[in-house]
Amino acid sequence: VLREGHQPPLYYALGALLVRLTQPDHRVDLRPAPHRPPDPTAPEHIPIFHHVDMPIFPTEADRVGFYLLRLMSVLMAILNVAVALRLFERVLKEKAHEIMAGLLLIGLPQFAFISAGITNDNLANLMGTLTLYGLIRLLESPESMRTHVGSGIALGLGLLAKKSLLTLLIGWALLIGWCWWHHGVRSQKASRQQITWGALLTLTLVGLLAGWWFVRNALLYGDPLGSEMERRTLPGLVNEKSLFSRYFLASFWRVTLFSGIGIFGWMNVLLPFWVYAFCTLLLLLALMGLARGWRGMSIELRWSLVWVLLGVAGLVWYNLTYSQPQGRLLFPVLSAWLALVAYGLGQWIPPTRMRLALFALAALALLLHLLSGWTIYTFYYPAERYRF
């Protein structure tokens, strides 16, 4: 808990409310048995905690409370998938591309792994997808006050879940400026005055929901983002470096990509290398497909690319200070990214072969989940894993 003191509070408040409502003593006790310290010099193939024969729950109530917290995260992930599917319907104009994007989402091992964890990533991912959906709706009807309200609520709650959604605040500002300049883009009914009032309404909601958190950080730590608090709680991760350092030129992009596909445990349980190689190949094909089909891309897809690039820029900025090359930190914009990947891959598949490609993708998703489960099992359960 002390290491998470810099985090916004919404996810933890929801978890605390759930525990208070379900636990007789209003708490969940865990007693994991350490096996080795989580330090960079320890052997990577040895689990940090005993996972096999060491009970970690003092009582059955603690066990129930723990799995209720995991269930809360799973429900957030399910809602995330539901919203993402709606987003794919609006961004991708072909049904086959929508299905492909959905298969990519539910088949991604790291997304499934994070979804089962007690982590604020799940709330941040849900609010990120809701915000993206709101931004897509703003593209379609920038005069709609209901859409401005929905975007403000999603973005405000998202900023109370994780600071990584700040990039979406920038993305919203760019979109509002673009809509204002084009008088509502497609809808000529929308005037600049309506867009301005809608933007002010969104900012008001964001300020009411999340503004107090940034004011509190400024008063306590001298900066609204609470960076000083983060330095205190995560001193082992502080490593200021240049964009042209060896870290960025060598490992950052590879580890970020691989961990976005699936690296489990304490970033030390890896899938077979062929999985990363194959997924990287699919990504390269998708990027080439985006270039090939650029002229036919919808305005929603082009803005999705802007939001994804802003998310990547935010992760790079964060890693200038903290060494955290983790793909999960981009999951608030995952739905936009997978829509782009689906569109790009679709450029290479003839319509007559699309059904076969979708069946193959579904089979790949199932294979990756089975392989992920087996990889995690073989890391934690064999007795030899616990021998120094």
Side-chain angles (χ1 to χ4, degrees), residues 265-281:
W266 292 70
M267 289 286 288
N268 62 334
V269 184
L270 276 71
L271 290 164
F273 179 76
W274 70 263
V275 173
Y276 304 115
F278 183 75
C279 291
T280 301
L281 176 61

Side-chain angles (χ1 to χ4, degrees), residues 279-327:
C279 291
T280 301
L281 176 61
L282 289 180
L283 178 60
L284 292 175
L285 287 173
L287 292 176
M288 290 188 291
L290 287 176
R292 185 184 188 187
W294 178 259
R295 291 185 177 181
M297 284 177 62
S298 64
I299 188 66
E300 292 88 355
L301 270 179
R302 297 189 182 197
W303 270 102
S304 295
L305 180 59
V306 172
W307 299 323
V308 168
L309 292 176
L310 284 172
V312 173
L315 182 60
V316 170
W317 177 82
Y318 183 72
N319 274 264
L320 290 172
T321 303
Y322 305 93
S323 297
Q324 286 285 281
Q326 298 195 36

Side-chain angles (χ1 to χ4, degrees), residues 124-170:
N125 297 341
L126 170 59
M127 290 303 160
T129 306
L130 280 168
T131 300
L132 287 173
Y133 183 75
L135 297 183
I136 295 298
R137 293 294 303 272
L138 280 178
L139 269 173
E140 298 171 346
S141 54
E143 78 283 358
S144 171
M145 291 299 151
R146 178 182 296 181
T147 303
H148 286 285
V149 169
S151 299
I153 293 174
L155 190 52
L157 294 178
L159 291 175
L160 272 186
K162 206 174 183 73
K163 290 187 291 186
S164 54
L165 270 78
L166 282 168
T167 59
L168 284 179
L169 180 60
I170 299 173

Side-chain angles (χ1 to χ4, degrees), residues 23-41:
Q23 296 301 104
D25 58 354
H26 301 160
R27 60 186 291 172
V28 174
D29 286 325
L30 300 175
R31 297 174 185 173
H35 189 66
R36 69 172 178 88
D39 63 75
T41 62

Side-chain angles (χ1 to χ4, degrees), residues 9-19 21-22 64-80 114-123 126:
L10 183 56
Y11 177 85
Y12 305 99
L14 293 174
L17 178 62
L18 177 63
V19 170
L21 293 175
T22 60
V64 171
F66 176 82
Y67 284 104
L68 283 175
L69 289 171
R70 290 189 67 178
L71 179 61
M72 181 182 74
S73 284
V74 170
L75 291 176
M76 290 176 181
I78 292 173
L79 288 174
N80 190 4
I114 292 297
S115 297
I118 302 174
T119 167
N120 64 345
D121 284 305
N122 289 302
L123 183 57
L126 170 59

